Amino acid sequence: MNSTLPRSWARLLADECSAPYFVQLQTFLADQRRRHTIYPPAEEVFAALEMTPYHRVRVLLLGQDPYHDEGQAHGLCFSVRPGVPLPPSLVNIFRELHDDLGCPLPGHGCLAAWARQGVLLLNTVLTVQAHAPHSHRGKGWERFTDAVIRKVNQKRDPVVFVLWGRPAQQKARWIDSSRHAIVAAAHPSPLSARRGFFGSRPFSTVNQALRRWGREEVDWRLSEAPPARTEARPRTRR
């Protein structure tokens, strides 16, 4: 895949990375990249894990598969590169953020600032073929990201898991709700946002849980101006 796991996660996921399914996944992706355009770029497949080391995770926000149009996906769920028009789901996320906490609507869709505060922006599938949504489902990524969720569940400090939509909520089976908090709602896509996402107040609910545990709240505000494009790329810590 021409990409490697950051050090803090590589130790935890060593068994997954040597498992036959993961080796097959690497072979599949190498073939796909030879024949098709694949998003995100190889060096950004693990950007969520790079930007949010294991020891810093205090919130896990779970997406599905990456955006599949040109220039959008950069390894963080729901996030797009600076300067890229906002996808409808992200528009709805920002609308709920404004209604929930009064945060001004940002001038960009890059969520790297959340990731750097300990919000793991994880998709269940980490790659996709250009203009072919769901094209890499069932190839092995789900097993890998389930392992990531299980490792976060094993953290000593409590974590808030944000599960939007039925596929994400099915991952609750890996979460010990007696130790962690689960914030569940409908998916923010236009197809479902009015059926339980709008009005769910997920951002204030996350912060309430963090306060209850005596932990620092997430500052969900994003700058009005787009960050530098380089800020959206993971910093190497190998």
Side-chain angles (χ1 to χ4, degrees):
M1 286 185 296
N2 298 321
S3 56
T4 57
L5 285 172
R7 187 175 301 161
S8 73
W9 291 97
R11 291 191 296 267
L12 293 167
L13 299 168
D15 289 346
E16 297 299 317
C17 293
S18 61
Y21 86 89
F22 195 81
V23 175
Q24 293 171 4
L25 174 61
Q26 288 181 305
T27 301
F28 166 77
L29 288 172
D31 178 68
Q32 287 284 293
R33 289 195 185 276
R34 282 193 297 267
R35 298 192 295 120
H36 306 288
T37 299
I38 303 301
Y39 299 130
E43 67 272 15
E44 294 183 323
V45 169
F46 297 119
L49 303 180
E50 185 78 47
M51 288 191 182
T52 312
Y54 182 74
H55 70 278
R56 295 192 61 195
V57 177
R58 54 199 179 110
V59 179
L60 191 157
L61 198 166
L62 192 62
Q64 296 182 21
D65 58 348
Y67 296 125
H68 56 85
D69 285 337
E70 182 178 359
Q72 292 181 317
H74 64 116
L76 308 179
C77 74
F78 296 110
S79 181
V80 293
R81 297 176 182 279
V84 174
L86 303 186
S89 291
L90 190 53
V91 170
N92 289 338
I93 289 170
F94 287 162
R95 172 180 166 182
E96 179 62 21
L97 176 61
H98 173 75
D99 292 347
D100 185 1
L101 294 177
C103 295
L105 298 177
H108 62 92
C110 180
L111 306 182
W114 295 358
R116 287 192 288 267
Q117 294 182 73
V119 181
L120 179 59
L121 298 170
L122 183 71
N123 277 313
T124 56
V125 175
L126 300 189
T127 56
V128 68
Q129 182 180 326
H131 316 303
H134 314 317
S135 52
H136 287 185
R137 287 189 179 180
K139 304 300 183 181
W141 277 129
E142 294 90 343
R143 181 170 171 179
F144 176 80
T145 54
D146 280 357
V148 173
I149 295 168
R150 292 197 302 271
K151 291 298 182 182
V152 173
N153 179 65
Q154 292 170 8
K155 284 176 67 75
R156 180 177 303 176
D157 292 330
V159 174
V160 186
F161 291 82
V162 182
L163 308 179
W164 289 336
R166 185 173 300 173
Q169 290 165 22
Q170 290 174 345
K171 304 300 183 180
R173 66 183 183 275
W174 304 124
I175 302 167
D176 181 356
S177 59
S178 69
R179 296 194 306 112
H180 304 293
I182 296 176
V183 176
H187 193 273
S189 76
L191 296 176
S192 56
R194 296 186 182 278
R195 299 199 297 268
F197 178 74
F198 289 139
S200 62
R201 301 181 63 86
F203 306 99
S204 61
T205 304
V206 167
N207 281 348
Q208 287 168 8
L210 293 172
R211 285 198 307 271
R212 187 167 65 248
W213 298 328
R215 307 186 70 186
E216 184 179 359
E217 297 182 6
V218 175
D219 182 356
W220 296 104
R221 294 171 298 177
L222 296 169
S223 61
E224 295 184 11
R229 291 185 67 87
T230 54
E231 290 187 6
R233 291 185 175 271
R235 290 194 285 267
T236 301
R237 298 190 187 89
R238 299 185 183 94

